Amino acid sequence: MLGKKLVTAQKRGETRALCLGLGMVACSMMMYFFIGITIVPFYTKSVWTTETVCKVLKASIKNKAFCPNSEGSEDEEIFPYPCLQVWVNLTASGQEVMLYQTEDTLERNPKCSYVPDKLENSKEVKARIETIASNFKKYQTFPCYYDPGGTQTNVILSRLYPSKGLLFAFLWPTLMFTGGCLIIVLVKISQYVSVLSAWQ
């Protein structure tokens, strides 16, 4: 009687472990799919792939620009921000080009090198942009990314999805997939050993 209870408990444990392993594999596949349709297209779409050194030529704050996210709204003029323009010398080609913070900055406003995310407090935004401008004037040389194919003549300060970030994004689903497969393999080995022991 006790032996039957132990066998039943063992089967229940194996079933739960098998469901856990299958669930981990399914979740990892969903994460792979999500990363594949969100992050990977932005990574492959970016043409700024080669790192070089940029030297600041001039960093100036022009007339105020408007938040691109508020276009068409009645409160558009409530959220202006100073338009920072940074021109650098690209050491790879010796050209004078405009610097943008990321790929997204160029799409949101091609006239400004920096577009703030939140424009709720205009004083904080103004102070932040002035600080960024002073940092560019202070640190004249820094790494940047350019398009080796020549499609884009401008450069960016940092990529939204660098190679390390993409590898880190794939790390967790890979660990989950490996753990799920390991659990399934261990359960199958346990079942095989149980059947072999019962047969002997």
Side-chain angles (χ1 to χ4, degrees), residues 46 48 50-56 84 86 88 90 97-106 113-114 132-133 135-136 139-146 154-162:
S46 178
W48 295 271
T50 306
E51 185 175 353
T52 185
V53 177
C54 288
K55 184 177 181 181
V56 176
L84 173 64
V86 180
V88 297
L90 186 62
V97 296
M98 189 170 178
L99 174 74
Y100 295 95
Q101 184 186 12
T102 61
E103 302 94 329
D104 185 56
T105 306
L106 178 62
S113 298
Y114 173 78
I132 294 172
N135 287 336
F136 276 118
Y139 303 100
Q140 293 286 317
T141 305
F142 51 87
C144 58
Y145 295 89
Y146 75 100
N154 42 59
V155 295
I156 61 173
L157 182 62
S158 60
R159 301 182 65 184
L160 282 174
Y161 301 103

Side-chain angles (χ1 to χ4, degrees), residues 169-194:
F170 278 105
L171 176 63
W172 295 111
T174 302
L175 292 175
M176 184 177 292
F177 179 80
T178 304
C181 291
L182 184 62
I183 291 175
I184 294 173
V185 170
L186 291 176
V187 169
K188 291 299 181 181
I189 292 175
S190 176
Q191 290 177 347
Y192 175 76
V193 171
S194 298

Side-chain angles (χ1 to χ4, degrees), residues 24-51:
M24 291 175 66
V25 171
C27 289
S28 63
M29 297 304 293
M30 291 176 63
M31 292 175 68
Y32 278 129
F33 177 75
F34 179 76
I35 294 172
I37 63 174
T38 55
I39 299 178
V40 174
F42 286 104
Y43 175 80
T44 57
K45 182 182 176 182
S46 178
V47 295
W48 295 271
T49 56
T50 306
E51 185 175 353

Side-chain angles (χ1 to χ4, degrees), residues 8 10 14 34 38 41 68 71 80 83 92-93 99 124 130 137 151 155 163 171 174 179 183 193:
T8 303
Q10 182 181 3
E14 291 175 350
F34 179 76
T38 55
E71 288 182 356
C83 183
S93 61
L99 174 74
E124 291 181 0
E130 290 177 350
K137 294 177 181 178
T151 306
V155 295
S163 301
L171 176 63
T174 302
I183 291 175
V193 171

Side-chain angles (χ1 to χ4, degrees), residues 62-84:
K62 302 294 183 180
N63 297 330
K64 291 184 177 180
F66 297 104
C67 177
N69 296 333
S70 61
E71 288 182 356
S73 64
E74 296 179 356
D75 299 332
E76 179 181 358
E77 296 184 355
I78 299 178
F79 301 102
Y81 61 93
C83 183
L84 173 64

